[in-house]
Amino acid sequence: MKKILLPFLALLLLAACSNYGKKVKSGSIEVYYKEGVTETEAQKTADMFDRLIKETNPSSTQRKSFQLSKPSDTVLLKMVVDKDKMGQVGDESFYAIATMVSDSIYSGKPVNLELTNDQFKAIKTFTFKKAEEVPAEEKVE
């Protein structure tokens, strides 16, 4: 029994030691937050995404994970995506998400969006653009 229990406990310890940051939740949304981001900012982000999900897809219960950090003067929003499905969504939608977080949570300060796997490893990055910098075909109205 001890031979089975010890590796299991070690696995649990490793899983608990993930460096994703502290976590807040709202509905099926979980937001991890790290250096430079307050719990209040993380909770507002979780609440905003939860509200948007309920408005656009009220039957969705699938967990959605984000991570916020502010390693410099720019906020980094990481969003877990299904790599196989992310091609179905145009880049303008991802820029819109970053802009929405910038405007709603950070008073227009820069927010870069990084699409990631479920371990928050980068797949694709969208660098913040002010609304006037986004070409007309990329603007979401």
Side-chain angles (χ1 to χ4, degrees), residues 6-111:
L6 189 58
F8 179 71
L9 290 175
L11 182 63
L12 282 178
L13 182 61
L14 286 174
C17 291
S18 69
N19 197 21
Y20 299 153
K22 296 177 182 175
K23 180 171 75 169
V24 296
K25 292 182 77 175
S26 184
S28 62
I29 304 295
E30 61 184 18
V31 176
Y32 294 90
Y33 61 102
K34 297 175 79 171
E35 73 277 351
V37 176
T38 67
E39 181 178 1
T40 300
E41 292 166 333
Q43 189 62 59
K44 285 180 180 179
T45 303
D47 293 344
M48 180 187 71
F49 282 120
D50 183 51
R51 186 179 66 254
L52 289 170
I53 291 294
K54 287 178 179 170
E55 289 172 6
T56 59
N57 190 3
S59 62
S60 176
T61 58
Q62 184 179 11
R63 182 178 49 124
K64 290 144 190 79
S65 301
F66 299 85
Q67 183 187 60
L68 285 167
S69 63
K70 191 175 178 194
S72 64
D73 62 338
T74 301
V75 174
L76 177 60
L77 171 65
K78 294 184 176 187
M79 182 171 85
V80 174
V81 296
D82 181 338
K83 192 174 180 178
D84 295 331
K85 294 181 182 177
M86 71 182 227
Q88 299 171 2
V89 179
D91 287 356
E92 67 279 352
S93 296
F94 294 117
Y95 280 114
I97 290 169
T99 300
M100 184 174 31
V101 172
S102 170
D103 292 345
S104 300
I105 311 300
Y106 293 100
S107 303
K109 293 181 179 140
V111 174

